[in-house]
Amino acid sequence: MGEDPALWQSDIFGILPHPDESRVLVQREDDGWTLPHVRLARQIWLDQLGLVSDVLQRSLGIPVRAYRYARYERDAERHREEGVYVLEWAGAPGPPQGQGRWIDQRALAGLALRHPAHRAVLDEYFQEAAAGVTPARRP
């Protein structure tokens, strides 16, 4: 019998692009900045984009949809997983809830991130967005 998914903790982060500019949303958290974030007291799977969309949409208070993951890590021993998902607007863009700001790649360089590993994920996102090229194997 499989293990109980409720024993897990899942951290879900979203890369939300600005509707008109080459910027993404970051939110204030304690002494630093983070991507929009939701923590669930359960296990999710990498491809549960509907669930990811729902929880981030509720957290942000705006219509968003997750359409792919940019990073996913799973630690079975500690029962933790983390996914960084790229979002798109699922309706008319509007201001997100909470304390946030839009940053570009230049501003990212000097930003104190609560999750330093996200810097590389965001750099890659900005580079791909600037190039306008979707990798061949990505839907």
Side-chain angles (χ1 to χ4, degrees):
M1 189 164 147
E3 61 185 43
D4 183 356
L7 297 175
W8 282 72
Q9 180 174 299
S10 300
D11 288 299
I12 300 171
F13 296 87
I15 298 174
L16 178 64
H18 188 278
D20 302 316
E21 302 170 9
S22 182
R23 297 177 184 268
V24 298
L25 181 68
V26 291
Q27 295 181 318
R28 190 81 167 140
E29 185 177 288
D30 299 326
D31 59 347
W33 294 90
T34 183
L35 291 168
H37 171 240
V38 175
R39 178 169 285 159
L40 299 177
R42 62 168 281 202
Q43 182 180 21
I44 65 164
W45 292 100
L46 178 67
D47 61 352
Q48 288 185 317
L49 297 177
L51 172 66
V52 170
S53 298
D54 289 346
V55 297
L56 285 172
Q57 182 166 273
R58 281 195 304 272
S59 174
L60 290 166
I62 53 177
V64 297
R65 178 176 29 254
Y67 69 92
R68 73 173 178 91
Y69 68 92
R71 178 175 183 254
Y72 180 81
E73 288 189 0
R74 184 170 192 227
D75 184 339
E77 185 175 304
R78 293 179 50 219
H79 293 108
R80 293 188 56 130
E81 61 186 345
E82 177 185 299
V84 178
Y85 293 83
V86 181
L87 308 175
E88 63 185 2
W89 294 89
Q97 296 176 4
Q99 293 184 4
R101 73 183 231 208
W102 298 100
I103 62 158
D104 59 15
Q105 191 169 17
R106 183 174 299 141
L108 173 64
L111 200 66
L113 289 177
R114 297 263 307 142
H115 306 277
H118 292 176
R119 189 174 309 280
V121 177
L122 286 168
D123 275 332
E124 184 176 328
Y125 169 81
F126 279 121
Q127 289 170 10
E128 284 185 10
V133 177
T134 302
R137 298 190 130 201
R138 182 179 304 150

